[in-house]
Amino acid sequence: MKEFKARIYDFDGTAKTDSLSLEHAFNLVHGGEYDVILLQVESQQGVELWWGKHADLAMNGHRYHTGIMTSGMTLGKLQRATNEQYQATSELYFNSANVVNAALKQTPYFEFFEQGLSAKTLEVEPGREMLIASQREYPPSTEKNFSFAPHADSISYARANDSWPIKTSYPQTAAFITVQNAANEAGFVMWDYLPSSRSELDEFIALYGKDEAQGMEFLAQFESMEINPEVGELCIFNCRKMHGIQTCDTLRKTIGSFFIKQDGWRIFD
């Protein structure tokens, strides 16, 4: 099994280095032994080919977060839909995902996880697959702290609770590969804080949106760490803990997905 140079982080100590397979790294994060692992999986030239192939096959861009362009309908948009919005939003998401996934299964990005984790797409209902992955572009920003504000991700968090097909609160892992860094090497920041529900997460988002300083004061009570992935490094992390991307002064590009274990690894975004 192929191994990669690894940088390993948690809130209790300094960074460690090792050599890990993709599956071993995922199991360490998913099982809670470590919070973040960086794997050097591709060269700069190689990861640019990943980006180009993904861009050729994915949908056109849509803006869902201030300052971030993503290609394809993302899970976050669907989870933020209200009961009134959910039916129309879910039809758009799942219809798009079924079409786009057929193409994305041919990308080097998906093939990497298919080979290293035996990852399969996540089907929440018969014929309704979740999107495999999305490209994210962080344009130059003048925001004080973050290009992507602090947030947490869980497949069970949805505002349309009655309609949401995922009822189980799964352990969840995320991964993104850095294709292009901002000139200031804007960091990935994580806090040792795991919101317990969609409502708790929404309370923080409302606080941060109303008064960013108060939001940062709230987060200051928790341990935090800043990680700086290099181009070609895959950042594997516990996405249910609060995390964000510091302000980028030039364009930053990544491709990312989420993962749960449901009869093997399942990939989605």
Side-chain angles (χ1 to χ4, degrees):
M1 188 173 293
K2 185 174 182 179
E3 294 191 342
F4 304 94
K5 180 181 176 182
R7 294 192 282 156
I8 303 169
Y9 303 84
D10 61 30
F11 292 102
D12 298 325
T14 57
K16 305 173 185 177
T17 59
D18 204 340
S19 181
L20 299 172
S21 69
L22 180 65
E23 187 166 23
H24 190 186
F26 261 79
N27 285 332
L28 289 173
V29 173
H30 205 72
E33 188 166 346
Y34 296 105
D35 292 291
V36 182
I37 295 179
L38 301 181
L39 293 184
Q40 185 67 52
V41 302
E42 261 293 3
S43 65
Q44 180 171 349
Q45 182 180 16
V47 82
E48 288 173 355
L49 291 173
W50 284 27
W51 178 272
K53 184 68 171 178
H54 198 106
D56 289 343
L57 296 172
M59 298 170 62
N60 292 328
H62 300 280
R63 187 179 296 275
Y64 291 131
H65 302 284
T66 300
I68 298 178
M69 290 296 292
T70 64
S71 62
M73 166 71 86
T74 61
L75 178 61
K77 174 73 171 180
L78 183 58
Q79 290 182 298
R80 290 190 297 276
T82 64
N83 285 310
E84 294 74 19
Q85 299 167 333
Y86 182 77
Q87 183 175 351
T89 305
S90 66
E91 288 303 312
L92 175 60
Y93 175 88
F94 287 112
N95 289 343
S96 299
N98 287 344
V99 173
V100 175
N101 281 354
L104 294 187
K105 289 174 184 176
Q106 304 171 43
T107 61
Y109 177 88
F110 176 74
E111 290 171 354
F112 177 75
F113 292 108
E114 185 179 40
Q115 294 168 8
L117 294 178
S118 299
K120 297 180 174 61
T121 56
L122 178 61
E123 190 177 60
V124 298
E125 296 172 357
R128 291 167 77 88
E129 284 186 349
M130 286 192 165
L131 188 71
I132 288 172
S134 65
Q135 292 177 300
R136 289 182 164 88
E137 293 188 338
Y138 302 74
S141 174
T142 57
E143 293 291 328
K144 181 179 179 181
N145 292 304
F146 294 97
S147 283
F148 199 167
H151 63 286
D153 301 288
S154 171
I155 195 171
S156 65
Y157 292 175
R159 291 175 182 164
N161 284 325
D162 293 342
S163 301
W164 189 242
I166 305 295
K167 306 301 183 185
T168 303
S169 182
Y170 290 96
Q172 185 170 319
T173 301
F176 65 83
I177 190 163
T178 298
V179 177
Q180 179 178 315
N181 258 327
N184 64 333
E185 297 183 346
F188 167 77
V189 183
M190 176 183 267
W191 291 265
D192 196 13
Y193 166 49
L194 194 158
S196 62
S197 65
R198 178 80 233 186
S199 59
E200 184 177 335
L201 176 59
D202 281 346
E203 285 178 11
F204 171 79
I205 291 172
L207 172 66
Y208 186 89
K210 181 179 180 181
D211 189 324
E212 188 172 321
Q214 284 191 22
M216 295 306 298
E217 184 178 343
F218 172 83
L219 289 176
Q221 67 185 297
F222 303 102
E223 292 291 327
S224 66
M225 59 179 166
E226 178 185 333
I227 309 297
N228 298 94
E230 298 176 357
V231 170
E233 278 190 317
L234 184 74
C235 181
I236 305 163
F237 66 99
N238 179 356
C239 59
R240 294 191 61 172
K241 291 188 176 181
M242 196 70 72
H243 56 280
I245 301 295
Q246 292 176 329
T247 303
C248 302
D249 65 350
T250 61
L251 182 65
R252 179 180 188 268
K253 296 160 59 174
T254 64
I255 310 174
S257 303
F258 301 114
F259 299 80
I260 60 170
K261 278 188 172 180
Q262 187 191 76
D263 188 26
W265 289 102
R266 300 290 170 172
I267 183 172
F268 61 98
D269 189 73

